[in-house]
Amino acid sequence: NKCPELTTIALTRTGVTDAGAIALANKCPELTTIALTRTGVTDAGAIALANKCPKLTTIFLDETGVTDAGAIALANKCPKLTTIFLDETGVTDAGAIALANKCPELTRIYLGETGVTDACKRQMKQVRAGLSIVVLSFLL
């Protein structure tokens, strides 16, 4: 069954994998907010969400297996993104700059513990005036 009216879902710290993210993408095209923090989602899940849920405005992918491929797909297919959480992912400069370049409404991006360089962060701020780049590091 489809869930065409579902716009927000939080699946943080669940056993959701790419299969679940793909199923959600296929059945819930109206999603605007999805939280997948600390799940088994990788690029395959992020790409499916990008391809099927173009209305996404907020996505939590922190502490997942997402890399530049997933970030670039979201940048290319989800121009309404305003907030994206990518802390502790495999995202590097390529994924981060794609988001800054292709998401005109992006106001906040979380990049703690990623491969994004300081030079890229400066470039992102030049490309997207008003962009808040949040970099938190939790050292125990």
Side-chain angles (χ1 to χ4, degrees):
N1 289 342
K2 290 198 178 247
C3 36
E5 295 180 25
L6 184 67
T7 59
T8 302
I9 191 165
L11 298 166
T12 298
R13 295 183 183 197
T14 63
V16 172
T17 63
D18 288 330
I22 291 166
L24 276 169
N26 287 327
K27 296 182 184 290
C28 307
E30 299 299 313
L31 281 176
T32 59
T33 302
I34 187 166
L36 296 166
T37 301
R38 287 191 182 180
T39 61
V41 173
T42 68
D43 289 329
I47 291 167
L49 288 164
N51 287 332
K52 301 286 185 165
C53 303
K55 295 179 183 179
L56 280 173
T57 59
T58 304
I59 188 165
F60 294 75
L61 292 168
D62 40 325
E63 299 182 54
T64 64
V66 172
T67 68
D68 288 333
I72 291 168
L74 288 162
N76 287 333
K77 302 285 185 157
C78 299
K80 296 181 183 213
L81 274 178
T82 61
T83 305
I84 186 166
F85 291 76
L86 295 168
D87 298 300
E88 296 187 45
T89 63
V91 173
T92 67
D93 291 355
I97 199 67
L99 287 160
N101 280 327
K102 301 210 173 166
C103 298
E105 297 179 37
L106 191 66
T107 57
R108 187 161 290 198
I109 185 168
Y110 290 77
L111 295 171
E113 304 295 324
T114 62
V116 180
T117 63
D118 288 341
C120 180
K121 291 171 192 162
R122 286 190 294 276
Q123 185 180 0
M124 290 170 68
K125 296 283 274 184
Q126 290 174 348
V127 168
R128 184 83 31 235
L131 177 63
S132 293
I133 300 170
V134 183
V135 181
L136 301 175
S137 182
F138 300 100
L139 299 176
L140 299 177

